[in-house]
Amino acid sequence: MDWMYLFYFFLATLIFFGAKSTGRGNWNEEYTSLKQTKILQGITALGIALHHMAQKTCAPWHPRIYMVHGLDPFIPMGYMLVSVFLFCSGLGLYKSWKIKPGYLKGFFRRRILPIIIAFYLSEIIYTAVRLAMGEKMDTVTVLWYLSGLHMANFNAWYAIVIPFFYLVFWAAFRFCRREWLAISLVILFVLGYTALGAAIDHQNDWWMRGEWWYNSAMLFPLGMIFGKHEAKITKVLKKGYWFWLILFFAGFFLLYQQSEWLIGRRLGYYVYGPDKVVRRMLSAGTQWVVGFFYTGFWFLMMMKIRLGNRVTAWLGAVTLDFYLMHGIFVELFGYNFLDIAKSIYYIKNVPLYIAAVLAASVPSTLLFRWIRIKVTEWTQKKERPEGEPSGKKESLRARLRRRKKERALRERGRVRSYLVPAVTVLFLLGFYFALASGRNKDEHVFVMNRLEIRVPVYFSRERADERNALFKCTGEGKKASYLIADERIPDASEREQGSLESLESCEWLTEQEAYTNPQGVRMIRGIVITNGIRERRYYIECENSHLMVIRMSEDDRYYNVQDCEEAMRQTADSIRPAK
């Protein structure tokens, strides 16, 4: 029996257990209430955990021997699930501002500071876990992780982004008298934020690591717009409810397929050149539309179904804590731990893996939440004003107790006043030592798939990690394109080939030639033509017959084809097994 069928049945039961239909002619008038949106966010948090588990078990970039299918539908759903979070955040902020007088007073302390505290607590925990699992770190690396600029918990990117969105919301509604102008400023910020993300190539060192940082961002102001016009929109949706429900359901699937085709064939995030920002922003735009239809379908469904049970309500209450903690166990029970060490216990059976991750995540979420609340309460304590009038005369014991407490509070205030300068000094020292430690490294050599690769000396490193590397030609007299190395073959249609032998019979690789370099590394080289542009590629055989690729555009409008061929040949000849 395939236990995954039982899992999906259980998942559907969990989501809709306790749900109540409003019946014919009636509506769930609270479908946008805090209670209902929190439950929806709880369901979404569970979906994000399953998305991360899917990435660990059956994502196409893993070696085939470790791929176990079952959670495949959740692989592409990350940005759709985050769309729900951002839409609910924008909606909730606007409605709270509208109905609560003085909502913006103390906004940073109430709404932003708890998220920042949660993020840094998770960074401390993840850094400790990585050290315990055997990752080798020097002091500089630890400081980078603790600063949050290098992420120990790389799934915590949402906790970095959302405080900036909240801050922009506060500034827009604090200083703009007209609502439409405030919302317009938020939209402009999102567009600028997206353009910044699109301008940064994929990398694993700093923030803005890839498209998932911005391919759902527009749902935040859309939630605010919906909140502003909720009554009018709800009235329209009620009149043609079944039409709108079917439209959003069918539109979601059709638009998703269209978005995938456009990103895979016409636009794309793994594109380089002068138009990369535009193409990446257009790619994000198609996914904004998909995320909007996905979110809209849930809200339409909630107009007739009142969701809610103890599990989803609990998840909605601990969404942030669960989101930050579950990733530890996704890695600890996967086939390895963050590609740096063996996992504690590899669970290959997917239903058991899901059960183990969720079972371990619940107590860790409760503990993390308790610590986070205690730390947040400590940072938000205020001193009692001196000379505060009292209805009764204080006894000597009460007066001594009060003075002792006041001294303790003053001491805490002094500690806090030194904390920011101390952290700043440590950060600057870490930055200096990081720069100093990187000066002696050979930036022309990198290791990928246990192969050492050296690029020509007239290339400078833009980024290089264990999965993707990008080098830019900077040599005088040389006009070569960007040299790109991918740990996996990026295109799905090409990954189906699977081996060098199958590549020899494919039609899309022209001018192909089997080649063994001086170090004995086998590869197939040839030309792929995409949108009329030639791209030279070397498909290289790694361990376990796994294939990686190095590639370079030969667009003769911008580059010298001979320089491109020379650079690729030198790079291919340098490849050797890493020591």
Side-chain angles (χ1 to χ4, degrees):
M1 176 181 178
D2 189 347
W3 290 98
M4 285 306 300
Y5 291 112
L6 186 61
F7 161 75
Y8 281 105
F9 173 78
F10 173 77
L11 179 63
T13 302
L14 175 64
I15 293 173
F16 293 103
F17 182 78
K20 296 180 181 179
S21 173
T22 59
R24 186 175 181 179
N26 297 316
W27 305 95
N28 176 15
E29 301 294 346
E30 299 179 351
Y31 79 107
T32 62
S33 67
L34 178 62
K35 182 179 179 180
Q36 286 289 283
T37 54
K38 278 291 185 183
I39 289 171
L40 178 58
Q41 289 181 70
I43 295 170
T44 303
L46 179 60
I48 286 177
L50 294 171
H51 166 67
H52 291 151
M53 287 184 246
Q55 287 184 316
K56 191 65 178 180
T57 56
C58 53
W61 54 78
H62 292 309
R64 288 192 173 189
I65 59 174
Y66 296 118
M67 289 184 65
V68 186
H69 296 280
L71 287 172
D72 303 68
F74 285 94
I75 291 177
M77 287 192 66
Y79 73 93
M80 307 175 205
L81 297 165
V82 176
S83 296
V84 175
F85 274 123
L86 288 170
F87 187 89
C88 290
S89 295
L91 171 63
L93 287 176
Y94 177 84
K95 293 182 69 173
S96 297
W97 172 79
K98 195 71 175 176
I99 65 177
K100 296 179 181 178
Y103 179 68
L104 297 181
K105 292 181 180 179
F107 186 81
F108 179 85
R109 174 176 53 82
R110 288 183 290 104
R111 299 305 303 267
I112 298 177
L113 183 60
I115 299 174
I116 295 174
I117 290 172
F119 169 71
Y120 278 103
L121 281 176
S122 77
E123 287 296 286
I124 293 171
I125 292 171
Y126 271 74
T127 301
V129 172
R130 293 175 77 129
L131 284 168
M133 291 300 295
E135 181 173 354
K136 295 181 180 180
M137 297 185 197
D138 54 19
T139 304
V140 173
T141 304
V142 173
L143 289 175
W144 276 122
Y145 280 147
L146 296 181
S147 74
L149 297 176
H150 287 188
M151 298 168 62
N153 177 8
F154 54 81
N155 286 328
W157 65 269
Y158 182 83
I160 296 174
V161 171
I162 199 63
F164 288 101
F165 281 41
Y166 280 13
L167 192 60
V168 170
F169 167 85
W170 172 84
F173 282 83
R174 170 67 177 80
F175 298 106
C176 295
R177 294 183 178 181
R178 298 186 179 183
E179 293 179 25
W180 66 265
L181 180 57
I183 295 175
S184 298
L185 288 176
V186 176
I187 292 173
L188 287 175
F189 169 80
V190 169
L191 290 173
Y193 166 79
T194 303
L196 174 64
I200 300 174
D201 297 330
H202 289 80
Q203 48 86 30
N204 283 334
D205 291 328
W206 306 92
W207 295 354
M208 302 295 280
R209 295 183 168 202
E211 69 277 1
W212 58 93
W213 283 66
Y214 57 85
N215 61 358
S216 55
M218 189 55 70
L219 272 293
F220 182 75
L222 287 179
M224 295 164 55
I225 294 171
F226 178 81
K228 178 175 173 59
H229 302 287
E230 180 182 342
K232 295 179 181 178
I233 295 173
T234 300
K235 186 177 180 180
V236 172
L237 295 177
K238 285 181 179 179
K239 285 185 177 180
Y241 177 77
W242 293 107
F243 167 78
W244 292 112
L245 185 69
I246 294 171
L247 175 66
F248 271 75
F249 181 76
F252 160 67
F253 286 101
L254 293 174
L255 289 168
Y256 166 72
Q257 294 294 336
Q258 183 68 19
S259 172
E260 290 293 293
W261 183 84
L262 283 170
I263 293 172
R265 300 291 183 182
R266 292 289 184 267
L267 302 172
Y269 291 111
Y270 288 87
V271 292
Y272 305 93
D275 61 343
K276 68 179 183 181
V277 174
V278 174
R279 293 174 68 180
R280 291 172 184 174
M281 289 189 70
L282 290 173
S283 297
T286 67
Q287 294 187 319
W288 290 345
V289 177
V290 175
F292 173 72
F293 270 74
Y294 176 80
T295 305
F297 172 74
W298 273 100
F299 275 87
L300 278 162
M301 187 170 58
M302 287 162 56
M303 290 179 67
K304 297 292 290 183
I305 300 175
R306 185 176 287 105
L307 298 173
N309 57 61
R310 290 186 177 182
V311 176
T312 54
W314 178 80
L315 282 170
V318 301
T319 295
L320 177 63
D321 313 282
F322 179 78
Y323 162 73
L324 291 173
M325 284 294 100
H326 76 274
I328 293 176
F329 306 101
V330 170
E331 296 295 331
L332 288 178
F333 299 135
Y335 72 90
N336 68 14
F337 181 82
L338 295 172
D339 296 332
I340 61 174
K342 291 183 178 180
S343 57
I344 287 181
Y345 186 75
Y346 175 31
I347 304 176
K348 194 169 185 178
N349 183 282
V350 176
L352 289 178
Y353 174 66
I354 297 169
V357 170
L358 296 179
S361 297
V362 170
S364 68
T365 297
L366 291 171
L367 179 59
F368 179 80
R369 180 176 175 79
W370 181 82
I371 296 172
R372 177 179 66 81
I373 290 174
K374 290 297 181 182
V375 173
T376 304
E377 288 176 349
W378 177 78
T379 60
Q380 296 183 0
K381 280 184 179 178
K382 295 182 178 179
E383 295 186 27
R384 181 181 176 180
E386 293 187 9
E388 185 180 36
S390 177
K392 296 181 180 180
K393 188 177 180 179
E394 282 186 307
S395 66
L396 178 61
R397 180 176 297 178
R399 189 161 58 251
L400 292 173
R401 190 184 305 118
R402 177 173 59 81
R403 289 178 179 176
K404 183 179 180 180
K405 185 176 180 180
E406 289 173 353
R407 283 197 301 271
L409 288 172
R410 283 195 294 270
E411 290 298 325
R412 289 181 184 176
R414 292 191 188 99
V415 171
R416 291 177 204 169
S417 65
Y418 294 129
L419 186 61
V420 173
V423 171
T424 303
V425 170
L426 288 174
F427 170 77
L428 292 174
L429 286 173
F431 185 72
Y432 171 78
F433 285 120
L435 291 177
S437 63
R439 287 172 184 167
N440 296 324
K441 293 181 180 179
D442 188 347
E443 67 169 7
H444 300 98
V445 179
F446 64 100
V447 175
M448 187 176 291
N449 282 335
R450 298 185 181 179
L451 292 174
E452 181 183 289
I453 304 171
R454 177 182 292 273
V455 301
V457 294
Y458 50 87
F459 278 81
S460 64
R461 178 184 301 206
E462 296 283 301
R463 70 167 186 275
D465 54 51
E466 69 277 4
R467 291 185 175 178
N468 187 270
L470 177 69
F471 289 82
K472 181 180 180 180
C473 180
T474 56
E476 295 183 5
K478 298 289 185 180
K479 289 185 63 177
S481 174
Y482 285 94
L483 191 152
I484 304 167
D486 281 310
E487 175 267 344
R488 64 184 181 95
I489 300 175
D491 299 325
S493 59
E494 298 176 28
R495 283 198 298 271
E496 295 174 358
Q497 305 302 322
S499 65
L500 292 181
E501 287 71 20
S502 58
L503 281 170
E504 292 179 345
S505 59
C506 68
E507 297 178 355
W508 43 263
L509 185 64
T510 62
E511 302 179 28
Q512 62 174 272
E513 177 187 10
Y515 179 66
T516 302
N517 77 358
Q519 280 65 242
V521 178
R522 299 174 62 226
M523 58 192 77
I524 291 283
R525 56 190 181 189
I527 300 294
V528 174
I529 299 178
T530 306
N531 297 330
I533 298 176
R534 287 166 53 95
E535 187 173 78
R536 186 168 296 276
R537 297 188 181 182
Y538 283 72
Y539 295 91
I540 303 150
E541 187 176 59
C542 311
E543 292 185 355
N544 301 319
S545 298
H546 178 62
L547 297 183
M548 64 170 287
V549 62
I550 58 173
R551 52 199 176 95
M552 178 180 286
S553 169
E554 292 189 350
D555 190 339
D556 56 12
R557 293 174 298 175
Y558 308 107
Y559 311 112
N560 183 293
V561 175
Q562 292 181 345
D563 289 344
C564 294
E565 292 178 359
E566 177 187 2
M568 287 289 284
R569 187 166 53 252
Q570 289 183 22
T571 303
D573 286 345
S574 76
I575 300 173
R576 67 179 66 198
K579 297 179 181 178

